């Protein structure tokens, strides 16, 4: 019921605006000369008022979009810096010992103190890889989420701009109907207004999308290089990006469930 009440109130307000525009057209037709309605350089003042209101509304929408763009790009920049910092910090020399037995006799029951230390260091290294992978992929996922938020903000802005255009066209149509109803020489009056209220400015949305896309591309390239570096070290676990979950209605093959993030180790023994 509340929704219906708001809808009725909105419709009532729009009907009143149209009626006001119609009555303004009637008054202007009775008070102004014909040339004010047929000369493109001398249009009725009401048309200028409608244009000004439309420009003001669209400018407000663009300011709101600019604020969203600034906030999202700031967050996206922080996520980018986090990925770059984590992938660069991790790029340290690997253990020179590799994966082998210290005494040259295979995986014997007894190992040297040096080998025990090497294995502990390797376990810490494996844990670092896993932790870094979680944070890197988390930052990348955050960047992707911000890009989707930006796309949504652009869609909402464009929809609202279209609503402003539609409103202006309705007001002009109502005004014209009033003029055509009251003017004695109505047959000589051409369409009062051709074209748009104000052209839709797509520069800001496109620039924002390009900036967000550039950040995503840069992060993707850095993550790929980082994965290649990590996966190329035999003593480190293989790091893979999280798999997207299958849609609810997708068919699953038994025994092929994929974890969110898999970290495999080449180590068979641990001490």
């Amino acid at each position: 019921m509340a929704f219906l009440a708001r809808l009725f109130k909105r419709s009532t307000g729009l009907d009143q605006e149209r009626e006001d525009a119609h009555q303004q057209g009637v008054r202007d037709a009775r008070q102004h000369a014909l040339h004010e309605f047929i000369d493109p350089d001398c249009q009725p003042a009401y048309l200028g008022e409608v244009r000004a209101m439309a420009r003001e509304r669209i400018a407000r929408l663009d300011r709101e979009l600019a604020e969203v763009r600034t906030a999202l790009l700031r967050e996206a920049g922080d996520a980018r810096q986090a990925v770059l910092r984590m992938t660069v910090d991790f790029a340290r020399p690997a253990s020179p010992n590799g994966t082998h037995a210290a005494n040259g006799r295979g995986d014997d029951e007894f190992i040297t103190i040096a080998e025990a230390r090497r294995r502990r260091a390797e376990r810490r290294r494996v844990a670092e890889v896993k932790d870094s992978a979680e944070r890197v992929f988390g930052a990348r996922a955050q960047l992707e989420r911000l890009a989707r938020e930006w796309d949504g903000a652009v869609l909402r802005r464009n929809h609202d701009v279209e609503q402003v255009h539609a409103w202006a066209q309705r007001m002009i149509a109502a005004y014209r109907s009033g003029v055509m109803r009251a003017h004695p020489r109505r047959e000589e009056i051409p369409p009062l207004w051709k074209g748009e209220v104000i052209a839709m400015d797509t520069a800001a949305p496109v620039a924002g999308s390009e900036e967000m896309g550039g950040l995503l591309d840069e992060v993707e390239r850095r993550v790929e290089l980082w994965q290649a570096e990590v996966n190329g070290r035999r003593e480190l676990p293989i790091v893979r990006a999280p798999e997207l979950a299958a849609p609810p209605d997708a068919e699953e093959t038994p025994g092929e469930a994929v974890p969110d993030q898999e970290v495999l180790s080449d180590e068979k023994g641990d001490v």
Side-chain angles (χ1 to χ4, degrees):
M1 294 299 293
F3 169 75
L4 293 177
R6 289 194 301 270
L7 182 61
F8 176 76
K9 182 178 180 180
R10 186 184 308 168
S11 301
T12 302
L14 183 58
D15 291 342
Q16 184 61 50
E17 282 187 302
R18 278 200 292 252
E19 179 60 25
D20 293 343
H22 178 83
Q23 293 302 325
Q24 184 66 48
V26 171
R27 289 192 296 271
D28 287 355
R30 292 171 178 170
Q31 297 174 3
H32 298 281
L34 176 64
H35 76 89
E36 293 191 21
F37 301 103
I38 64 175
D39 186 353
D41 296 328
C42 184
Q43 293 182 341
Y46 180 80
L47 299 185
E49 294 174 3
V50 170
R51 287 197 194 94
M53 292 180 66
R55 289 192 183 97
E56 182 181 353
R57 293 182 182 183
I58 293 175
R60 183 169 63 250
L61 293 172
D62 286 340
R63 287 195 298 270
E64 293 172 356
L65 182 66
E67 292 174 359
V68 172
R69 173 186 175 185
T70 300
L72 292 181
L73 285 177
R74 183 185 300 113
E75 290 188 55
D78 292 342
R80 167 187 171 274
Q81 288 298 328
V83 170
L84 297 181
R85 183 173 60 254
M86 288 183 288
T87 54
V88 170
D89 290 347
F90 185 80
R92 293 175 297 178
S95 171
N97 294 327
T99 55
H100 60 81
N103 53 19
R105 292 180 297 174
D107 292 333
D108 289 346
E109 181 178 358
F110 300 102
I111 62 174
T112 64
I113 294 177
E115 176 64 9
R117 290 175 178 172
R118 187 196 67 79
R119 294 191 180 187
R120 285 195 298 271
E122 188 173 335
R123 287 197 297 272
R124 287 194 299 270
R125 185 74 168 166
V126 168
E128 289 178 4
V129 173
K130 182 177 180 180
D131 180 66
S132 296
E134 291 175 351
R135 289 184 288 143
V136 167
F137 294 137
R140 185 179 66 175
Q142 180 187 9
L143 195 56
E144 293 171 347
R145 175 184 60 79
L146 294 171
R148 290 193 298 270
E149 287 188 23
W150 169 251
D151 291 339
V154 171
L155 289 176
R156 288 191 298 272
R157 178 265 183 189
N158 291 343
H159 175 267
D160 291 341
V161 169
E162 291 173 358
Q163 292 287 80
V164 172
H165 281 264
W167 167 84
Q169 295 291 1
R170 286 193 294 267
M171 295 303 102
I172 294 299
Y175 177 81
R176 174 176 168 76
S177 69
V179 172
M180 298 300 290
R181 172 186 170 187
H183 205 285
R185 298 172 62 181
R186 64 181 64 90
E187 67 278 357
E188 301 180 43
I189 300 177
L192 292 178
W193 184 23
K194 297 179 180 179
E196 299 174 330
V197 179
I198 182 173
M200 284 184 63
D201 179 18
T202 58
V206 169
S209 299
E210 289 177 349
E211 288 177 291
M212 196 69 72
L215 290 175
L216 271 173
D217 291 342
E218 181 184 4
V219 167
E220 286 292 339
R221 288 193 299 269
R222 182 56 201 163
V223 170
E224 289 177 2
L225 291 174
W226 178 77
Q227 286 182 277
E229 178 185 5
V230 172
N231 295 341
R233 299 180 182 176
R234 293 185 55 84
E235 81 281 3
L236 296 180
I238 297 176
V239 178
R240 298 176 181 173
E243 298 286 345
L244 295 178
D249 56 349
E251 295 183 0
E252 287 189 339
T253 304
E256 293 185 357
V258 181
D260 289 339
Q261 182 173 316
E262 185 178 1
V263 180
L264 302 180
S265 175
D266 290 336
E267 283 297 318
K268 296 181 180 179
D270 200 2
V271 176

